[in-house]
Amino acid sequence: MAIDQEAIKKHVRGILEALGDDPDREGLKDTPERVARMCAEVFNGMNYTNHEIAQMFGKTFSQDLDLCSSSDDMVIVRDIDIFSYCEHHMALMYDMKVTVAYIPQGKVIGLSKIARIADMVGKRLQLQERIGSDIAEIISEVTGSDSVAVKIEGCHSCMTARGIKRPNAKTLTTNFTGRFKDEPALQMRLFMS
């Protein structure tokens, strides 16, 4: 499903009018067009299912896996910066740091692909909890690993800039599958990394 930029322009103009402003004044006359282009960019992930994202960023490598020969070896990528928009308020979720870990099962994914997956999943109206489960699902599909962990820490402007207005509040979510779910020692390795 493609993002309907014409509909966005029409509705943004209506919002400006509902706010009591003149959408034809100099500072606002191009705002509906700008917002429509911004939405097409920041919500690009809404155009794709998790399976389609896995296919887009599914390049894996099976050679040199002697480096990951132990059943406890894991790949961890930390501090992937992403942002998203809360589906409840359409408010920005920002300063988000994503950590992804998985236990290889015969193949590994290119490291930049992990960051691209996290970025694309964030480009949806989302809940932070779902971002983690979506990333885990895609990483599992691409790598064939049933043991994936995703940790996300971020700020939500629906809490920091409005409502309760607590600018230092951060939300931490985790998603564990397979051995990460069953073995607290693996979880600790993730948190200690």
Side-chain angles (χ1 to χ4, degrees), residues 12 19 30 33 66 80 82 84 91 101 103 134 139 153 163:
V12 168
L19 289 171
D30 294 327
E33 172 75 28
D66 293 340
I80 302 168
I82 68 165
S84 191
I103 298 175
D134 286 350
I139 295 294
E153 184 173 312

Side-chain angles (χ1 to χ4, degrees), residues 162-182:
R162 60 157 303 279
I164 191 75
K165 296 181 185 162
R166 294 298 179 257
N168 294 318
K170 291 187 177 187
T171 301
L172 175 68
T173 56
T174 58
N175 184 277
F176 300 120
T177 68
R179 290 183 55 207
F180 284 103
K181 190 175 198 172
D182 300 330

Side-chain angles (χ1 to χ4, degrees), residues 141-153:
E141 180 177 339
V142 171
T143 65
S145 176
D146 64 352
S147 297
V148 179
V150 180
K151 178 178 83 167
I152 304 172
E153 184 173 312

